[in-house]
Structures are given as structure tokens and as C-alpha cells.
Amino acid sequence: MPRSKRVTIADIARQAGVSPGAVSFALNGRPGVSEETRQRILAIADQHDWRPSSTARALVGARAGVIGFAVNRPARTLGTEAFFTDFIAGVQSSLATQRVGLQLVVVPTLEEELETYRRWRRANQVDGVLVLDPRVDDPRPGLLRSLGLPSITIGGQPSQGGEHATLWLDDSAAADTVFGYLAGLGHRRIVYVSGAAAHEHVRLRRGVLEGLSARGVHGEVFETDYSPNRVTAVMRALLSRAELPTAVVFDNDMMALAGLRVTQEMGVRVPAELSLASFDDSIVTGLVHPSITCLTRDTFLLGEHAADFLLEQLNAPEVLPDRRGPVPTLTVRESTGRVPS
């Protein structure tokens, strides 16, 4: 089939050996076809770089009435993070008032996330998207601009030049709060157990820790995939050293709980021998013993603000100015203490 000829739903149906109605169901993410058939149809559409015609858009309306959220996390770890539960609940709370739906997908790689945006745009499945965890040299805002797909980026620092709307979170200030508190307690050997180094918040937090060298703090960073298994392996190695760190800070609450479990397993007393803290809070971190010192943020409110911001962006003629997200506070609990003299 010549590439110069515009590919239609009927063409895709002939190649896939199905009816045009089945193609429409598959391209619009609607039930009515098997997953195997859906994937075959999407593959053919991708091969021909299919996009809905302006006539088809007019028939279904200019808006899909749905926003998209592609989460790049291992599927097994996503359900364990209270952040996502609270964030998505906040998003849904805002969207429900406007009768707008949420299409949530979990993708294993950045490449899959980018392809999800292309597919959503081709099929006119979503009106805009929420983008989480800004990356160093992030390709997502540029792709979304080229697709003409409105977006709100949550996290990181304000965008440069107003190229994309950002609900920014001051991760440098947050890191200064946590690491600075530990340094004030006398800790001079601090370990940061982080998520993926490609994430901008990891880079910012790492930079703050490195900056504490002026105060005599030796900082180390261990990258993980956020999974309890990886955190457990890192903690066992750390606690097997002849000289232990005096404090360990984790990127989220479930990582901190996994770390606490290893200290109990290996007989390291918290906080008498080792202080623990987390950049995310949850109900569980306050219920375990010892309870864990955390940076507490209203994540439900963050989700509401992100959805409200995106809905405003959908109706704006240009990119809206950046906004600052809810400011976290340090909740001091039993897991941190002064370094024994």
C-alpha cells in the first residue's frame, strides 16, 4: 500500500481481517475486541502512522473527555507506594466534578511511555496528559509539544522559558530539610537510597547531600528500582560494613519500611546505632515501631491541583505559567536521633 495514500479505518480493517467497527473499538480503547486483536490492529495503525481525520474527529466531538496518565514504574511496586494511591485519588476527585475520565496505564520503560503518548494522540483517546517524575534531558515535554497534546509536568523545578506547564515541587528545599536536620543532629555519614538516577528529583537531592560536605558530612548514594528486594540487598550490604553509616534516607515510605526490616533482621538498633528517614510519608510509617521520620506532603491535594491545572491548560490559548505544588513539612518520629557521643 503506497505511503502517499491516506490510510483509512477500512484499509486497516482489510489488513487485520476484521470489520471497520472492530478497528474503531481498538483504536479508541473501547471493549468489544480481544486483546490479541486490539494489539494487531494497533500495530498496523502504527506501521502506517495512522491519525484520525478531521471529519472523524468532528463526528465524535473535539474532546475525548478523558485525560491520560502513563506511570513508568515496575507494575509490582506501584501498588505498594502510598504516593500513587493518594495522588490518583486526588486526580479523580478533581476530574469527577467536571465529568472527565482518567485513563491510567503502567509502562515498564520510557520508550513505552513515549509510544503511549503517540498512540493516544493518533486515536484521539485523551485530551491531555499528566507527566510525573521529570527527568534529566527529559524527551517527554518536547514530544508532547510536537504532538499538540497539552500536558502538566509534576515535580522538579520550574520549566525554563515557559515551554511546558509545570506544577513544580522544590526538591532541593525538601532535601535540605531532611539532610540538614540529620546533619544538625550530628550525623556525618549519611546514605541516600534513591530511585532511578535519571529522575530530576534524585539529581537535586543528591546535589544537596553532596553540598553538605562543607559541613563535614560524607554522603553516599545508592540507586535502586524502588523495589523492596533491591533496597533489602543494598541495606544488607551497608550493614555488613565494618563502619556503619549513621543515617540512611530513602526516596519513599515502602523503601524505608524495607530498610527498617533489615535493621531488625541484622540487630542494628534504630535510632541508637542508625537513624532512618524517608522523603515520602504514609499511615504505615507512623504505625511501625520505631515510627519513621518522614517528609509529609498532602499528596491527595497535589493530585487535585495537578488535575485542576491540566483542565485549565486544555482551555488556554497558550502554555500557562508554572505553579508551585503543596509544600511538605518534616514529621519527626522515633527513627531519628542524635549521634551518640
Side-chain angles (χ1 to χ4, degrees):
M1 186 177 298
R3 292 302 296 264
S4 58
K5 178 180 179 293
R6 180 179 178 84
V7 175
T8 66
I9 284 180
D11 295 326
I12 296 173
R14 281 194 295 273
Q15 283 194 254
V18 298
S19 69
V23 174
S24 179
F25 287 153
L27 294 176
N28 288 285
R30 295 166 57 192
V33 294
S34 70
E35 187 57 29
E36 180 182 355
T37 300
R38 185 188 308 278
Q39 292 304 320
R40 185 168 76 254
I41 291 169
L42 291 175
I44 293 170
D46 286 348
Q47 177 185 351
H48 295 289
D49 196 24
W50 178 85
R51 294 176 184 272
S53 67
S54 57
T55 303
R57 287 182 186 274
L59 288 173
V60 300
R63 291 283 178 87
V66 176
I67 68 166
F69 185 28
V71 182
N72 183 358
R73 278 287 199 283
R76 287 184 178 274
T77 67
L78 184 63
T80 66
E81 294 187 46
F83 174 91
F84 285 101
T85 303
D86 292 344
F87 180 81
I88 292 169
V91 170
Q92 291 278 30
S93 175
S94 170
L95 296 181
T97 64
Q98 303 297 319
R99 297 186 178 181
V100 174
L102 174 66
Q103 182 160 339
L104 172 69
V105 298
V106 180
V107 293
T109 65
L110 176 61
E111 289 70 26
E112 285 286 332
E113 182 178 349
L114 297 174
E115 185 53 37
T116 296
Y117 298 144
R118 297 186 186 100
R119 185 169 63 251
W120 279 345
R121 191 53 168 163
R122 280 195 294 269
N124 197 33
Q125 285 182 262
V126 301
D127 299 318
V129 297
L130 297 172
V131 178
L132 197 62
D133 290 333
R135 292 170 170 263
V136 179
D137 299 323
D138 200 332
R140 294 173 297 177
L143 172 67
L144 291 167
R145 283 197 303 274
S146 71
L147 294 173
L149 195 58
S151 68
I152 298 296
T153 299
I154 302 106
Q157 300 293 92
S159 62
Q160 298 298 318
E163 294 181 347
H164 57 276
T166 300
L167 184 63
W168 64 282
L169 309 174
D170 196 338
D171 281 301
S172 293
D176 189 60
T177 297
V178 177
F179 292 134
Y181 174 70
L182 292 170
L185 291 176
H187 292 278
R188 294 297 178 265
R189 296 191 305 279
I190 301 176
V191 167
Y192 169 35
V193 181
S194 77
H199 291 158
E200 187 176 285
H201 74 263
V202 171
R203 177 180 62 84
L204 293 170
R205 292 170 182 176
R206 180 174 190 152
V208 170
L209 180 58
E210 291 172 350
L212 287 176
S213 61
R215 295 172 61 177
V217 173
H218 173 66
E220 286 186 272
V221 180
F222 290 86
E223 180 185 354
T224 74
D225 61 359
Y226 297 100
S227 71
N229 287 342
R230 181 57 186 149
V231 173
T232 295
V234 167
M235 285 296 290
R236 283 176 179 159
L238 279 174
L239 301 187
S240 297
R241 291 177 172 180
E243 184 178 45
L244 300 182
T246 61
V248 180
V249 182
F250 302 89
D251 248 352
N252 67 40
D253 53 319
M254 294 308 298
M255 295 167 71
L257 291 169
L260 177 62
R261 179 67 184 86
V262 175
T263 65
Q264 295 167 342
E265 167 194 315
M266 300 184 69
V268 176
R269 294 172 298 157
V270 176
E273 295 175 281
L274 178 69
S275 285
L276 302 179
S278 169
F279 278 110
D280 274 348
D281 200 359
S282 67
I283 292 176
V284 180
T285 54
L287 296 177
V288 294
H289 180 71
S291 56
I292 300 175
T293 293
C294 295
L295 203 64
T296 305
R297 189 193 310 271
D298 191 336
T299 310
F300 183 93
L301 184 62
L302 176 64
E304 283 191 317
H305 284 184
D308 288 344
F309 196 3
L310 180 54
L311 293 177
E312 288 183 44
Q313 182 64 75
L314 296 182
N315 297 313
E318 55 188 24
V319 176
L320 293 173
D322 296 333
R323 299 176 187 175
R324 185 172 184 174
V327 178
T329 58
L330 186 67
T331 301
V332 177
R333 300 193 179 108
E334 301 165 335
S335 68
T336 50
R338 288 194 166 276
V339 177
S341 54

